[in-house]
Amino acid sequence: MSIKVLTLDGGGSKGIYTIGVLKELEKNLGQKIGEYFDYIYGTSTGSIICGLLAIGKTVDEVEGIYLEMIPEIMKESKAKKKSKKLIELGSKLLGGIKFGNLICDIGIVALNHETLEPLIFKSNIKQAHGSTGSFIPGFGCKLLTAILASSAAYPIFNPVVVKTKNRGNIKTVDGGFVANNPSLYASIDLTKNYDQKDIKMLNIGTGKFLERLDGILPKIINRFGITRFFFTEIYTSSTNTNFRLLKLIYPEINVLRINDSFMDISTNMTEKDISILSKVLQKGQFSYINFEKEITELFKN
């Protein structure tokens, strides 16, 4: 029996590209993404999409949420205000939902800021490796808490202190710093219980676009003395490294990555312009069309 896995990269506002790919996929599947896949893993913006799909939202619903949510969050000038707005909007959508109330199993990647080790919120003990006796889905946290931890792209957003039931209090930052592409960690978890050959994984990135410098980014650069493309570089490095390791360590896993390049759009991870977001969404739909045959082949059995 094949195990169907969906993994979603981080990338801030550019997660709307991911939604574009998923929009076409869901139409072709004829059922909700969360019902079709056995496991969904997400990092940062990918964790938000992951969580919404796992509570039963359709991709069209997720699209509407993103087009409303992104401008509301990204228009704020300070990290504190961005974080507050994300919590406010997230609470309305997810409330007190916990990891036991999902339609599929998930994994959400964050980074322990103090130990600099990955912190992965998981829903099923089958995903655990080691310390299974103390395993608690999502460390006992709400789904929203895990998403906030995974999306805490400091210094654009504030770090998040997570109060777990089995690990104490943990200060977290964006999962993209350790695994912007969560596919490797998904593979590590799942190969504990499934044969590599049985795992069919679709990995969706956030697209490659001309990087535009505006909004909060110039202020961050001036304050912290970082290079212009700091965030793009570190997330790209994280993504590439993890995906190459996946291919080396687990050569028999059937994995397909979708992450096309488009040099006719200039944007960045804090994009708030609806017209640009809509164009990025359309690029995701275009990417699905490019890969439709490969996707069909991947999941044909």
Side-chain angles (χ1 to χ4, degrees):
M1 181 183 73
S2 64
I3 302 300
K4 298 182 293 293
V5 184
L6 176 65
T7 58
L8 308 174
D9 287 13
S13 298
K14 292 184 291 183
I16 198 71
Y17 168 88
T18 308
I19 293 170
V21 179
L22 293 173
K23 185 180 178 76
E24 295 301 315
L25 175 61
E26 188 166 85
K27 288 179 180 178
N28 280 277
L29 290 176
Q31 67 182 114
K32 293 180 180 180
I33 294 290
E35 294 173 342
Y36 181 77
F37 285 92
D38 299 297
Y39 295 90
I40 303 178
Y41 275 64
T43 297
S44 198
T45 195
S47 77
I48 300 174
I49 300 169
C50 166
L52 292 172
L53 295 175
I55 64 170
K57 296 291 185 184
T58 66
V59 178
D60 282 344
E61 288 175 317
V62 177
E63 175 190 346
I65 291 167
Y66 256 63
L67 291 177
E68 178 182 353
M69 182 176 70
I70 290 175
E72 283 292 304
I73 295 171
M74 295 306 179
K75 72 180 182 181
E76 300 293 348
S77 59
K78 297 182 179 180
K80 182 178 180 180
K81 292 183 176 180
K82 278 185 170 62
S83 297
K84 182 179 179 181
K85 181 62 69 172
L86 179 57
I87 293 171
E88 176 187 318
L89 296 175
S91 296
K92 291 179 181 178
L93 288 167
L94 301 173
I97 295 175
K98 293 190 175 182
F99 280 70
N101 306 115
L102 307 175
I103 65 173
C104 63
D105 284 311
I106 67 171
I108 290 178
V109 181
L111 175 65
N112 184 321
H113 186 262
E114 296 167 346
T115 65
L116 300 182
E117 295 177 339
L119 181 71
I120 307 176
F121 298 81
K122 307 171 188 180
S123 59
N124 193 326
I125 195 170
K126 286 186 176 181
Q127 297 163 270
H129 44 93
S131 301
T132 56
S134 62
F135 177 84
I136 301 175
F139 302 111
C141 298
K142 295 178 182 178
L143 177 61
L144 175 60
T145 301
I147 289 172
L148 293 173
S150 181
S151 305
Y154 181 78
I156 296 175
F157 290 86
N158 284 340
V160 172
V161 176
V162 176
K163 297 179 180 180
T164 74
K165 288 189 176 181
N166 57 351
R167 298 284 184 86
N169 295 343
I170 303 173
K171 183 179 180 181
T172 63
V173 291
D174 193 274
F177 291 123
V178 65
N180 198 54
N181 180 338
S183 299
L184 175 62
Y185 290 137
S187 301
I188 292 170
D189 291 345
L190 300 180
T191 50
K192 298 296 180 180
N193 289 283
Y194 306 107
D195 189 283
Q196 288 188 43
K197 295 178 181 179
D198 292 332
I199 298 173
K200 298 187 175 184
M201 182 182 296
L202 177 62
N203 171 229
I204 306 176
T206 53
K208 300 175 184 177
F209 304 90
L210 288 174
E211 187 74 11
R212 191 181 73 246
L213 186 67
D214 66 0
I216 192 174
L217 294 179
K219 296 178 182 178
I220 293 173
I221 288 168
N222 290 333
R223 179 179 177 185
F224 294 92
I226 57 180
T227 63
R228 172 171 178 167
F229 299 111
F230 171 78
F231 290 104
T232 300
E233 289 172 346
I234 196 165
Y235 290 144
T236 300
S237 175
S238 170
T239 298
N240 293 343
T241 299
N242 279 279
F243 197 69
R244 287 174 182 170
L245 285 173
L246 161 62
K247 299 291 286 184
L248 287 170
I249 300 172
Y250 304 107
E252 294 184 298
I253 288 181
N254 298 294
V255 58
L256 174 64
R257 175 165 171 77
I258 300 178
N259 194 49
D260 284 334
S261 297
F262 303 96
M263 295 298 103
D264 58 333
I265 295 180
S266 178
T267 187
N268 58 45
M269 65 183 293
T270 61
E271 183 63 68
K272 58 181 180 291
D273 188 311
I274 285 290
S275 64
I276 295 177
L277 291 170
S278 296
K279 290 178 182 177
V280 174
L281 175 79
Q282 292 168 10
K283 295 299 186 182
Q285 292 176 279
F286 181 77
S287 287
Y288 175 85
I289 295 171
N290 282 343
F291 284 90
E292 186 170 8
K293 289 183 179 179
E294 290 89 340
I295 294 171
T296 301
E297 181 67 22
L298 177 66
F299 296 117
K300 68 178 181 179
N301 294 321

